[in-house]
Amino acid sequence: MLSDAQVSRTSTLWLIAALLSVLFPIWKQVPLLIILTGCLSAGWRIAILQGRGHWPPFLLRLGLILIALVSVVVSFRPLISLESSVSILAAGYALKLLEMRSQRDALVVVYIGYFLVATAVLFSQTLLQTLYLMFCLVMLIAAQQGLFREMDTTPVVSSIRFAGLLAFQAAPLTILLFILVPRMGPLWSVPLPDNSGRVGLTDAMTPGDIARLSRSDELVFRARFAADVPPAQQRYWRAVVLDQFDGKTWKQTDKLFSVAAMSQKDWVSKQPVTEGWWKNRLGSYQYEVMMEPTGKPWMYSLGAAGTVAEKSFFYRTMRLASEQPVDSRLLYSLDGMLPRARSVSMPGWLVELNTRIPVVGNDRSRQYALRLFNQAGEDPVKMAGRLLSLFRQDDFYYTLSPPLYDQSSTIDQFLFEGRRGFCAHYAGAFVYLMRAAGIPARVIGGYQGGEFKEDENLIQVRQFDAHAWAEIWVAGQGWLRFDPTAAVSPQRIASGLEAAIGPAETFLPDSPLSLYRYRQSGIINRVRLVFEKAEYQWQRSVVNFKQDQQEAFLRSLLGDKDFYWRQATALALGVSLILAVLSLTLLYRRQSLSPLQKLYARFLKKMAKRGFVPGDGEAELSFARRISKSDDKLAEPVMSFCEAYIQAAYGENFSEMHELKRLLTRF
């Protein structure tokens, strides 16, 4: 029973260690002041244990509470969110340690720690995070069981072993419940984590934006193919379609866009379109996408989207979008790739939208576009080919660190002066020139390439694969893709960003510890590949183990006949079997021996080999005397060992342990 007695020294140390361990996985979600408060509380309690500190006064504790609350109010907008709630809980966890005096207080600290471990899962469900949170649980269990120990000298190894054993015993039941208990929707909801600070594509592109993404190795999505995998040159992952240009920034037309000549249903569709001017032609690739949370609504597809995933729709621009911002990991399947939308002609309102450019600025580019269009015989495809030849043959350079161009004439300065840029520069200039010639064109933002893992038939795409390319409209053929970057730096498309940058530039300069910088090292790369494979299987098979997947899996095992009765029976039998095994284990568990008792057991084993076995109730010294009378050679070492053992066992002289080990070697 817990009481108002003071918390032991050992239990306090365990609680301090558990506090620091539990705060670590949420340090990015809570204000820095709260993390510092936790460190202050831990340091203060250690000082008290060492006799160099006093209990903090009431006013100091009140001040720390106010500081924590103010930091939450200042840090979060809106104030009511998951992050702010967790921050308040973390502050209470840290400050409770400063007023913890009784065992009851200590138990409250442990319970708050359990809640914080659970909240950490809401922010990240990676395999590494899960393993670390299991370690935190073991720490909390060890701290909790220390409150029920009578001795204050419980070894650290003993506490860890006890906590680990409890966790190990709970594992079979946890796995069984995970597989067999029917999955249900949440009974309540909480505000989802704020993803506004995540790195990623946006619905607006200014030259240099995508270049900044190239500095990040953050995972964007994984695509697993059912059969054939497209070659590297065809891996264009569409995300956003940027069709509005204000002279500086390319922006995306959203679903609220409307003109008199069209209706909302002409812009957004819930079903694949098989008729009309934006009719699609299906491709042959079938794949499944597991995308990371972005806080944005757009989804990724290989080329123009041809099918609509669950709870999503696509725009007339042939891109997918989710009904809600993607705030958690999303798994969806697509049945094919659409190389292009086919049509004979384009409506006038859409021609105007995709040929619109600012009336001021970039005069040289406009004149050059008209001249080039005339030279191409007013053929859009031939003009596009001439532009690609210009980028390929003239002194244009692909770089991650382009110069800053004048905002009033960005295109002019890039084409005729700087000639150094990233993919966004080349795609933006290409589309501008096509529009200046009256050809409908737009910029596509997304990702190109990705790391192919042949053993899993999977492509893994990261932020440094971010890319921009162009599409132009050709009557009778629809939207055609052109990538000016491929003309300037073909190795970027064939082999990825790392192969395209020059010797003067560094791959992932902001991530010196990223394993992707050391892919040439065989051992490091193998470790990375093994871990990423395990991470993918964890996400797909455990984290995304949804209700339909569970039912399909169980039906394959139990059959369709009386399925729910069989599921309930299997659950009842499984739980009963596990509880029975655990009960038998506890019932027949051998009492563990202390180190001293183990030494005496070794002594008895050696004597048994010589024919001497102690009788029932025969004391250690009596047993030694009987051996001495029977064997003169054993008399002196046996008496010495038993006398030392009695002194260590009953006189509590544990320093005799070393001497006992030495005496035992004499037999």
Side-chain angles (χ1 to χ4, degrees), residues 154-173:
T154 304
V156 174
V157 176
S158 175
S159 297
I160 288 290
R161 185 186 301 116
F162 180 84
L165 180 62
L166 287 182
F168 179 77
Q169 290 174 340
L173 187 59

Side-chain angles (χ1 to χ4, degrees), residues 362-414:
N362 299 305
D363 295 333
R364 294 179 62 186
S365 298
R366 271 193 276 216
Q367 294 172 8
Y368 178 74
L370 293 174
R371 186 167 62 252
L372 199 64
F373 188 48
N374 291 329
Q375 293 174 357
E378 298 186 352
D379 186 324
V381 176
K382 289 183 179 180
M383 178 175 174
R386 286 176 176 268
L387 283 177
L388 296 183
S389 298
L390 170 71
F391 291 137
R392 185 182 301 111
Q393 297 171 6
D394 284 14
D395 296 330
F396 284 91
Y397 298 94
Y398 179 82
T399 176
L400 300 179
S401 304
L404 295 176
Y405 297 111
D406 185 1
Q407 295 182 4
S408 62
S409 299
T410 302
I411 307 298
D412 278 359
Q413 284 196 323
F414 168 67

Side-chain angles (χ1 to χ4, degrees), residues 57-110:
F58 171 76
L59 290 179
L60 176 60
R61 285 179 285 154
L62 180 61
L64 291 174
I65 293 174
L66 292 177
I67 290 174
L69 291 177
V70 170
S71 67
V72 171
V73 172
V74 172
S75 301
F76 298 105
R77 292 291 184 275
L79 181 59
I80 305 302
S81 64
L82 180 60
E83 289 88 346
S84 63
S85 303
V86 172
S87 298
I88 293 175
L89 188 63
Y93 184 42
L95 294 173
K96 186 65 178 178
L97 193 67
L98 284 180
E99 65 171 15
M100 181 189 70
R101 299 192 182 217
S102 67
Q103 291 179 336
R104 296 181 189 276
D105 294 335
L107 194 60
V108 172
V109 173
V110 172

Side-chain angles (χ1 to χ4, degrees), residues 8-11 13-14 141-143 145-146 149-163 592-595 654:
S8 67
R9 180 185 183 88
T10 302
S11 297
L13 289 174
W14 272 116
I141 294 172
Q145 64 90 26
R149 294 287 185 97
E150 296 181 358
M151 296 178 59
D152 194 31
T153 57
T154 304
V156 174
V157 176
S158 175
S159 297
I160 288 290
R161 185 186 301 116
F162 180 84
S592 59
L593 300 177
S594 67
F654 294 104

Side-chain angles (χ1 to χ4, degrees), residues 338-540:
L338 297 176
R340 66 190 62 159
R342 305 187 67 189
S343 174
V344 177
S345 62
M346 178 185 286
W349 62 267
L350 197 55
V351 171
E352 192 276 332
L353 174 67
N354 286 279
T355 56
R356 186 186 303 164
I357 57 176
V359 296
V360 178
N362 299 305
D363 295 333
R364 294 179 62 186
S365 298
R366 271 193 276 216
Q367 294 172 8
Y368 178 74
L370 293 174
R371 186 167 62 252
L372 199 64
F373 188 48
N374 291 329
Q375 293 174 357
E378 298 186 352
D379 186 324
V381 176
K382 289 183 179 180
M383 178 175 174
R386 286 176 176 268
L387 283 177
L388 296 183
S389 298
L390 170 71
F391 291 137
R392 185 182 301 111
Q393 297 171 6
D394 284 14
D395 296 330
F396 284 91
Y397 298 94
Y398 179 82
T399 176
L400 300 179
S401 304
L404 295 176
Y405 297 111
D406 185 1
Q407 295 182 4
S408 62
S409 299
T410 302
I411 307 298
D412 278 359
Q413 284 196 323
F414 168 67
L415 287 175
F416 305 109
E417 298 176 20
R419 298 195 170 192
R420 298 174 63 86
F422 198 56
C423 59
H425 293 83
Y426 290 100
F430 182 94
V431 171
Y432 184 90
L433 291 174
M434 299 301 290
R435 288 189 172 196
I439 302 170
R442 59 196 186 188
V443 176
I444 310 298
Y447 298 86
Q448 196 284 323
E451 182 181 23
F452 177 51
K453 300 185 177 183
E454 187 174 1
D455 58 335
E456 302 172 83
N457 219 33
L458 179 135
I459 294 176
Q460 184 169 270
V461 177
R462 296 188 173 268
Q463 291 295 355
F464 57 72
D465 294 312
H467 193 56
W469 59 96
E471 287 182 346
I472 68 170
W473 178 268
V474 179
Q477 299 184 56
W479 290 102
L480 303 182
R481 182 181 69 224
F482 289 88
D483 189 355
T485 303
V488 180
S489 178
Q491 61 269 35
R492 162 63 185 90
I493 307 304
S495 304
L497 178 66
E498 188 176 9
I501 60 177
E505 296 180 294
T506 303
F507 181 60
L508 297 176
D510 297 339
S511 306
L513 300 180
S514 172
L515 297 181
Y516 280 84
R517 294 188 60 176
Y518 308 100
R519 283 187 284 186
Q520 306 306 320
S521 173
I523 296 178
I524 295 178
N525 198 49
R526 281 196 293 271
V527 171
R528 177 184 67 85
L529 292 175
V530 169
F531 179 78
E532 288 180 349
K533 182 176 182 179
E535 175 69 26
Y536 174 72
Q537 294 300 329
W538 166 259
Q539 295 294 340
R540 191 178 187 279

